[in-house]
Amino acid sequence: NAVVTGTTGRSPWSLLAAMHEIEADLGRVREVRWGPRTLDLDLVQYGDPAVASDVVLDEERLTLPHPRAHERGFVLQPWSRVDPDAVLRVGDAATPVGDLLAALDTSDIEDL
């Protein structure tokens, strides 16, 4: 697993569409929702909740922030290494990713 952070002029929907294009270009086929896949790019968060610039959405096509990111050590661990100051919105709270990671059992995650 890997995490990429960056900035963009694209909207969240445009960014998600571009991510889906990358998956398709690399051979990803979307046959079964939540089924096995060779590649899965997720848009976890758009903007920064630490400065209230994050986008919060709950739509069929896109939910932001990712509704289970705060429970997934395989997301939080590499994210905390790429950006030690990262913050994720969980409910109404902006919580440091490192704090979320510390609260999880990560014994089953391969050390990076």
Side-chain angles (χ1 to χ4, degrees):
N1 293 293
V3 170
V4 174
T5 63
T7 58
T8 183
R10 291 177 177 261
S11 71
W13 301 273
S14 174
L15 180 57
L16 183 63
M19 293 166 64
H20 287 171
E21 286 178 30
I22 292 168
E23 290 177 337
D25 289 348
L26 294 172
R28 162 97 188 250
V29 177
R30 293 176 174 272
E31 294 176 350
V32 178
R33 188 171 189 180
W34 295 305
R37 54 217 178 249
T38 56
L39 177 65
D40 184 29
L41 300 178
D42 289 319
L43 181 54
V44 174
Q45 178 167 275
Y46 187 96
D48 185 353
V51 295
S53 68
D54 58 322
V55 173
V56 177
L57 295 170
D58 188 5
E59 299 179 358
E60 185 176 338
R61 273 185 54 213
L62 181 59
T63 301
L64 289 172
H66 189 287
R68 290 169 303 284
H70 67 283
E71 302 169 343
R72 295 183 167 166
F74 65 86
V75 172
L76 300 174
Q77 184 183 51
W79 190 2
S80 69
R81 298 219 174 144
V82 170
D83 182 0
D85 298 321
V87 174
L88 175 65
R89 181 170 303 285
V90 181
D92 292 332
T95 306
V97 168
D99 291 356
L100 294 168
L101 181 61
L104 295 179
D105 174 9
T106 57
S107 61
D108 61 341
I109 299 172
E110 185 176 320
D111 193 25
L112 301 173

